[in-house]
Amino acid sequence: MSRLTGLYSLSRICLTFIVSASLIANAQADDASTRSLDEAIQLESNESSAISEMWRGNYEGAFLRLPSESSDPRSWASVELKLGSNPVMFHYFSYPEQEINHNLEFMEEESESLLLTDESDEKYHIYKQGNKVLLESSFINKLMGRPEIIELNRFQ
């Protein structure tokens, strides 16, 4: 009887060992696939952030919304851009429209300019001219009813 008990204990130990080894192998495989997925996400994140590396930062600008009322503070509008992540955060504020926020996606970058778009397919062109950073936007042009170029100031 003691020999049968010993054999039973030995088979339980072997079965426990086999199950444990199988669980460890599955966990390692899951960890490797999770690691490769994390690496792919990190690589994609690095690629999208590399697009905006030289543009990274926060920008703000203001322009005269109603030119005939330049002395009235309500005639001014302001924009804010937060570059450095995808999507880029765009914030517009003026008295008539109040607050408008858009998430912008990168379209292309050249050495001195950056082209972004929003969910309505409006274009936002940010470019350098000398020491100035300027913004032209089809969205703002539609609001104003005329072409508008906004000088942006960079701050961290």
Side-chain angles (χ1 to χ4, degrees):
M1 189 72 129
S2 69
R3 187 171 189 193
L4 190 58
T5 305
L7 200 55
Y8 175 74
S9 294
L10 182 61
S11 65
R12 281 191 67 179
I13 291 171
C14 287
L15 183 60
T16 303
F17 176 75
I18 291 169
V19 169
S20 296
S22 174
L23 289 173
I24 289 170
N26 286 341
Q28 287 174 341
D30 287 346
D31 186 43
S33 65
T34 302
R35 231 179 301 122
S36 59
L37 179 60
D38 289 344
E39 288 167 358
I41 290 169
Q42 182 64 34
L43 179 61
E44 183 178 319
S45 172
N46 287 343
E47 287 173 359
S48 66
S49 65
I51 293 172
S52 66
E53 188 63 37
M54 71 183 244
W55 296 98
R56 187 175 302 274
N58 298 321
Y59 297 82
E60 65 182 358
F63 63 98
L64 199 50
R65 173 77 171 88
L66 306 169
S68 61
E69 302 293 329
S70 62
S71 62
D72 187 348
R74 295 175 295 176
S75 64
W76 288 85
S78 65
V79 295
E80 241 181 75
L81 284 156
K82 293 183 181 182
L83 291 169
S85 63
N86 203 8
V88 171
M89 304 305 292
F90 173 81
H91 176 77
Y92 171 88
F93 180 81
S94 74
Y95 183 73
E97 292 88 19
Q98 297 299 317
E99 279 191 57
I100 299 173
N101 295 303
H102 289 161
N103 291 329
L104 308 180
E105 298 290 329
F106 291 110
M107 287 185 64
E108 64 182 69
E109 179 184 10
E110 294 177 8
S111 63
E112 296 293 315
S113 70
L114 186 63
L115 188 60
L116 307 162
T117 187
D118 65 16
E119 54 276 350
S120 304
D121 206 31
E122 298 289 346
K123 305 293 187 267
Y124 299 77
H125 184 214
I126 303 169
Y127 58 96
K128 292 182 181 181
Q129 191 174 52
N131 292 334
K132 296 179 181 181
V133 176
L134 304 172
L135 168 69
E136 289 184 63
S137 168
S138 59
F139 167 73
I140 292 173
N141 292 347
K142 281 183 183 177
L143 286 176
M144 301 302 108
R146 65 182 186 278
E148 192 71 48
I149 298 174
I150 304 164
E151 184 175 347
L152 299 175
N153 298 311
R154 184 178 186 171
F155 64 97
Q156 299 298 342

